[in-house]
Amino acid sequence: MLLTIESLKDLNSNIVQPVIEAQYHTPVWFDIAATFLFAITGSVKAIDKGYDYIGLLTLALVSSVGGGIIRDLLLDVGPPVALKNYFFLVAVMCGAVVAVLFYNQLHHIRRLIIVVDALSLGIYAVVGAQKTIDVGLNVLAAMIIGFMNASFGGVIRDVLMNEEPQLFKPGQFYAAAAVAGLSVYMALVVGFEFNSYYAATICIIVTTIIRLLSLKYNWKTHSFKRFIKKK
């Protein structure tokens, strides 16, 4: 069944809606900063693949704002904010330019890029969840949209590169880190009535730490196939 705003609203009516006071609104520069950083990572992949400037700009765009565009379309809040606010497109262009100009240097500061990517993952997750809360949907919907906001740009990028999306394959925690951070955010806001600002900050920190620890200690998800006994 196609996931639409109508289906989310139906889901919302069938689940007890906890009172979530929208005390926290992520500053727009959070979203723009994450857009810039993800544009860099998308551009680096395009350069690694040997793409031309069209391919580079396309991967920069979908990597950085793809998840946000899907979020806004599902939430039915009008034209996607990435297309309404030109600062997002400027951030994409700047990310692409930085990747081209400093491509060799970026490979030397790989650890910094990894940290930046993990931080952006947490920011996008909480931005998606908060925007869902703002339109009056429930906790489960906020988790879904937050997850999609954080990870679906990468899915679109991989599909365009004719690769199996990393999201679907076993590997070090990425989307799982976003889900963990979102779970903490919802538990703090709904269960403990935390101020949303502090809860969002904790969500970003938790997501970032889990992602980095999974890389450091090689924590991985596993295929269900390994748990199914062969007949």
Side-chain angles (χ1 to χ4, degrees):
M1 181 176 65
L2 181 64
L3 182 63
T4 63
I5 186 65
E6 286 78 15
S7 62
L8 285 175
K9 285 181 177 178
D10 289 341
L11 180 64
N12 193 57
S13 64
N14 294 324
I15 298 178
V16 176
Q17 170 80 3
V19 177
I20 304 177
E21 190 175 334
Q23 310 156 345
Y24 176 75
H25 296 278
T26 48
V28 68
W29 67 263
F30 264 39
D31 213 349
I32 293 173
T35 298
F36 169 74
L37 297 171
F38 272 136
I40 293 176
T41 59
S43 298
V44 167
K45 281 190 170 289
I47 296 172
D48 288 341
K49 283 285 189 177
Y51 293 167
D52 63 9
Y53 66 94
I54 295 297
L56 185 144
L57 289 176
T58 300
L59 287 192
L61 185 67
V62 299
S63 298
S64 56
V65 301
I69 289 176
I70 292 175
R71 174 201 68 209
D72 291 342
L73 291 176
L74 290 176
L75 295 180
D76 195 24
V77 292
V81 65
L83 302 181
K84 291 192 296 183
N85 187 333
Y86 72 90
F87 281 113
F88 286 92
L89 298 182
V90 170
V92 172
M93 293 295 296
C94 289
V97 170
V98 167
V100 171
L101 294 179
F102 301 101
Y103 175 73
N104 292 324
Q105 288 80 358
L106 290 175
H107 280 280
H108 292 307
I109 54 172
R110 182 174 176 275
R111 290 184 180 179
L112 177 60
I113 296 298
I114 289 173
V115 172
V116 164
D117 184 68
L119 185 62
S120 301
L121 178 71
I123 293 172
Y124 262 2
V126 77
V127 166
Q130 185 60 52
K131 286 182 180 291
T132 307
I133 291 170
D134 287 345
V135 300
L137 295 179
N138 60 53
V139 170
L140 181 56
M143 291 281 293
I144 293 171
I145 298 297
F147 168 78
M148 295 175 71
N149 196 168
S151 59
F152 269 41
V155 172
I156 300 172
R157 179 200 65 213
D158 291 342
V159 169
L160 291 178
M161 294 170 62
N162 198 30
E163 294 181 356
E164 186 178 0
Q166 291 293 323
L167 177 64
F168 301 153
K169 297 190 292 186
Q172 292 162 324
F173 298 168
Y174 191 77
V179 171
L182 286 167
S183 299
V184 170
Y185 175 70
M186 292 303 171
L188 291 175
V189 172
V190 178
F192 298 97
E193 298 184 353
F194 251 55
N195 178 283
S196 298
Y197 177 86
Y198 298 115
T201 303
I202 292 171
C203 168
I204 294 170
I205 293 172
V206 168
T207 302
T208 303
I209 290 176
I210 291 176
R211 171 59 178 162
L212 295 179
L213 287 178
S214 76
L215 293 172
K216 180 177 177 62
Y217 295 107
N218 199 31
W219 296 342
K220 291 185 176 180
T221 58
H222 297 284
S223 168
F224 271 111
K225 191 174 182 180
R226 65 175 292 184
F227 301 109
I228 299 175
K229 294 181 180 180
K230 294 183 180 181
K231 293 182 180 180

